Amino acid sequence: MGRMSTPVDTAPWWRDAVIYQVYPRSFADADGDGVGDLPGITAHLDHLAALGVDALWISPFYRSPQNDHGYDVSDYCDIDPLFGSLEDADALLARAHELGLKVVVDLVPNHSSDQHAWFQAALAAGPGSPERARYIFREGRGPDGAEPPNNWLSVFGGSAWDRVPDGQWYLHLFDSSQPDFDWRNPEVGDMFVAVLRFWLDRGVDGFRVDVAHGLFKEESLRDQVRDESATRGPSAGENAASMVERTLADEPMWDQPEVHDVYRRWHQVLAEYDGDRMTVAEAWTQTPESMARFVRDDEMSQAFNFSWLLAAWTAPAFADVITSTFDALAEVSASPTWVLSNHDVVRHVTRYGGGDQGLARARAATLTMLSLPGSAYLYQGEELGLEQVDVPPEARTDPSWLRTKDTDKPEVGRDGCRVPIPWDGTEPPYAFGPGTGQPWLPQPAGWGAASVAAQAADPASTLAFYRQALAARRTLDAHAREVSDLAVDGEVLTFRRGDVTVVLNTGSTPAPLPAGEVIMASGAVDDKLPADTAVWVR
Ligand code: NOJ
């Protein structure tokens, strides 16, 4: 540990920001078609202002056939009619800025939709054409080229290659409808700089960069060395589990050194604009050190630190993540990030066991996270303590489910963390949309008590807890850029940030409380710190 810090008064807005992820399909539906939209987000921005976050990150809203719910983009410079129009995007930006909220949009540079004009042109133009050279088309192996060019697997299951009628194969690390670009072709890089400028000119404050570690593949496209019983490519979680265990997989498709030139170029583009525009990498790299390479001073602003989300419910595990995060960032001036949930992972209340205990642990992990220097990313609905929903098979829509449901290793998919938000009322759609029309994923019965309106009226609710915690976070010492006195005593984690001592009890028995004033607690405390509880003591 130990590095120079940015002076607080000149720090960019994102350095210690709390950034709230909006998944547009599931946030709020203004037009009543069962799918959330941009006017729905704009109408509910006051919820985010009242919560006390600094910014929102909006998952993709571009034109898209929605096979991966927007992560399959067919036009990067237009809004999908499902979500609204460019005018709706401008109105959202204007209202957010009026409320003092920054807006980060999602950029998907690894792959497009197969409906993108470039991919359609590539199909039409045929083998060897400049149009095909924007994607990764290859001849197959074996007699008549009937075998895929290599053994790579899609993250969503099955081969990462599909064959087109003229016999060539194209690479898709995700769904078949998401062909990977060939970033060794300069046309691709130029196109994305134009996309960045399009959105920067419209006033966005930053970009969350999807699959930031994936753009370049090892040039030989050699086979991956792996256990041949595998049927799916490494999923985000599996990748990152190996990050924790430090057993490094052979990954010729991820984290190639050339990718960093892209982010150096983007850094320069963003620097031409006022107002500390930022980038945050979604990069499931295998080690904290490789994550830190994305945030070198001339590259991206931040990278998601998924190790907090993956940590087991033990004091040593959380302590390790804190130490290894600060150690890995020691050579760069980037601040850390912390995240517990997003639209790709099981909601953290459920990961921690669900029910009252899951919720108590989730609140304790959240409070601990919010005390740390750097940015915290929240996912819509966690402020309501929502649990993962068991979406019935016939209602599931995630491509990872659709691609694996008929295999011997079906993946339940990610629909369960994407169920539309309950805003008010006692019956679905809980004011997610107008009237009684039902949303695109079914909401559980009994979610009324979890709604924003119900919790806003209850000072003991999880929503009230989040509001208080975010307000208390603003009183923490912004000059304290690191934690000190980090200690683990059995199942109790303790550290200091400035004049505040943070204690997290992951054990099953009450722990002693340090002397001082409890300024924030994740649950009830008396003269002891109960199990599954965290406190800030000043
Ligand atoms: C990561 C996104 O978060 C996920 O939702 C998406 O399916 C993949 N990237 C592919 O774009």
Side-chain angles (χ1 to χ4, degrees), residues 5-27:
S5 57
T6 319
V8 172
D9 36 12
T10 61
W13 67 266
W14 42 264
R15 196 192 59 175
D16 291 295
V18 177
I19 301 176
Y20 179 103
Q21 181 189 355
V22 170
Y23 193 68
R25 295 180 71 87
S26 305
F27 190 65

Side-chain angles (χ1 to χ4, degrees), residues 308-327:
W308 188 254
L309 162 168
L310 292 159
W313 180 253
T314 69
F318 285 118
D320 279 356
V321 172
I322 294 173
T323 307
S324 62
T325 299
F326 282 105
D327 284 352

Side-chain angles (χ1 to χ4, degrees), residues 367-389:
L367 188 64
T368 308
M369 166 175 95
L370 290 175
S371 74
L372 292 163
S375 295
Y377 284 80
L378 309 181
Y379 175 51
Q380 67 180 37
E382 70 169 80
E383 79 279 22
L384 307 176
L386 295 187
E387 294 209 36
Q388 191 79 358
V389 176

Side-chain angles (χ1 to χ4, degrees), residues 447-501:
W447 248 17
S451 75
V452 174
Q455 295 202 39
D458 174 5
S461 67
T462 296
L463 176 58
F465 159 73
Y466 267 77
R467 288 178 177 171
Q468 289 156 16
L470 291 179
R473 177 181 159 93
R474 294 189 188 277
T475 73
L476 296 176
D477 181 1
H479 294 272
R481 303 303 314 140
E482 293 184 348
V483 302
S484 59
D485 304 302
L486 182 82
V488 174
D489 181 7
E491 279 305 331
V492 180
L493 168 71
T494 308
F495 58 85
R496 287 179 66 82
R497 170 148 185 221
D499 61 352
V500 168
T501 302

Side-chain angles (χ1 to χ4, degrees), residues 68 71 111 156 174 208 210-211 282 343-344 414 418:
D68 190 17
Y71 286 95
H111 45 264
F156 294 156
F174 295 89
R208 177 266 189 192
D210 189 63
V211 198
E282 188 231 14
H343 66 295
D344 291 331
R414 301 162 292 177
R418 300 173 173 180

